Structure formats: structure tokens, C-alpha cells
Amino acid sequence: MTKQEARERMKQHRKNLSAWEREEKSRCIFKYLMEMEIMQQQKFFFPFVSYGTEVDTIQIIGQVLKEGKMKVAVPRVNREIEGEMDFFVIRSMDALSRGYQGILEPAAQERIEPSEGVMLMPGLAFDRKKNRAGYGGGYYDRYLERYKKETLVTVALAFQFQIVDRIETGCHDIRPDWIVTEQGVF
């Protein structure tokens, strides 16, 4: 399946989820993520802030902030360098405001380069080899190409229907280390 076909199909599937279904599936994904050993061992957490019909990360971010065991940093699109993003430390959800395309972004100025920790990756579709079709902007692929270290673990969050047999890939596409769905971790 081409990336564009995957994107169109998954956008429609996610759009068709009721609010209740999305909430229930997100709750299961949250549970599986928080039970992962890596979430207990790391000091830094780099989640994306969910938008629209994505797996809800707001409750995940809130829980990690509440526990206080990990420093939390979320992405903000770099307005000076097109196609780039940076991560900024937040200490509460109140530190977020609408930014690029209406997505919640940090207003904070404490920029951090993730060299270790857990980074959540958004995406529209994934295949069984963990290839990923994102939204087409390449933000995470470029970012991880610059900063990915063996001590930074990447985890994609997806609804089970977002997993397909095969997605075409490009030479710059970066796969997550793990994918978490409402059915488990692989």
C-alpha cells in the first residue's frame, strides 16, 4: 500500500470512531504503555500532544507529569526553520497553547535535545515491520535522523486498525522501536 493510500484510509477510519470508542481504545493503549518496562526506567519523556482523532495522549502526559518521575518535553514547530521541530520542557498542561495547525504546543523556552528517554511518535498507518506513514511533513524522520541515539526509545501509538500488512517506505523513513495498540505491544 502506498503511503498516500494508507493516510487517506486511516484518516477515514479514525474519523469513523465514536468518541466513546476512541476514549476506550486510548485508555487501553495508555494502560499498555504505562506497563512497559521502559516507562519505569527512563528519566525523560517526549510525547506528542494528540490532535483531532489521534490516540489521546493528554491523559498520558497528565499522568506522567503527576507522577513526577520523568521530565516531560513536547514538540513545537520551529518557526524559523521550515520543516523542523524542537522539544521544550513542560511542568503542567497549562504550559500548552494552540500553535501550528491548532495543535497544542509549549510556550516554554527550556529547549531540550533528547539523548535518552522515551519518545512517542504519531502516525497514520504502520505495518507489521514497524514501517510508518506519518502525516507527510517528515518532522519526526528529520528530527530522529539528527538526534536518535540508542538510549532514546521510540514508541508509536496507534489503534489496531492502523496496522496494515505492508506500507511502502523511503530511505529517510524511521521506524519506531515499539508500537502500542489497544491489543498490546509489539
Side-chain angles (χ1 to χ4, degrees):
M1 168 181 310
T2 68
K3 284 186 178 184
Q4 193 54 39
E5 290 169 336
R7 286 181 184 117
E8 290 172 19
R9 185 190 304 176
M10 294 311 149
K11 281 181 186 176
Q12 190 59 48
H13 278 301
R14 285 194 338 200
K15 189 177 179 181
N16 290 339
L17 277 179
S18 70
W20 181 84
E21 289 173 306
R22 180 176 169 269
E23 187 177 305
E24 285 301 306
K25 290 175 186 296
S26 291
R27 193 179 340 266
C28 290
I29 292 166
F30 169 74
K31 179 181 173 291
Y32 282 120
L33 174 69
M34 297 307 284
E35 289 173 352
M36 291 178 72
E37 196 172 311
I38 58 165
M39 288 296 288
Q40 312 309 314
Q41 299 171 338
Q42 300 296 329
K43 295 178 185 170
F44 298 96
F45 185 51
F46 304 95
F48 64 93
V49 181
S50 56
Y51 177 75
T53 60
E54 292 179 316
V55 170
D56 181 12
T57 62
I58 302 295
Q59 69 176 7
I60 297 167
I61 296 167
Q63 181 66 34
V64 173
L65 285 168
K66 180 180 170 185
E67 290 175 0
K69 296 176 186 173
M70 299 168 81
K71 188 177 254 189
V72 178
V74 297
R76 180 171 74 202
V77 170
N78 187 322
R79 280 137 180 94
E80 296 171 11
I81 305 172
E82 187 176 331
E84 298 293 332
M85 67 179 183
D86 296 298
F87 281 80
F88 293 84
V89 174
I90 62 168
R91 290 174 179 77
S92 78
M93 294 302 290
D94 294 336
L96 302 174
S97 60
R98 299 273 171 215
Y100 177 74
Q101 294 190 357
I103 300 169
L104 290 173
E105 293 182 331
Q109 297 301 314
E110 187 181 343
R111 186 174 159 270
I112 187 169
E113 291 180 7
S115 59
E116 62 178 296
V118 176
M119 178 179 285
L120 300 185
M121 296 175 71
L124 283 163
F126 304 87
D127 69 17
R128 303 199 186 287
K129 292 183 178 179
K130 299 180 184 160
N131 292 308
R132 172 180 163 271
Y135 291 87
Y139 286 91
Y140 277 81
D141 294 320
R142 279 191 298 282
Y143 192 87
L144 290 168
E145 187 174 299
R146 284 194 331 247
Y147 296 112
K148 178 74 166 119
K149 309 276 189 287
E150 288 185 26
T151 53
L152 180 65
V153 179
T154 53
V155 179
L157 304 181
F159 300 116
Q160 187 64 40
F161 62 75
Q162 291 177 262
I163 311 298
V164 298
D165 288 332
R166 187 182 157 297
I167 296 175
E168 69 177 14
T169 60
C171 61
H172 296 291
D173 293 336
I174 295 181
R175 295 183 293 190
D177 298 312
W178 299 95
I179 299 176
V180 180
T181 74
E182 71 274 16
Q183 294 181 9
V185 178
F186 74 96

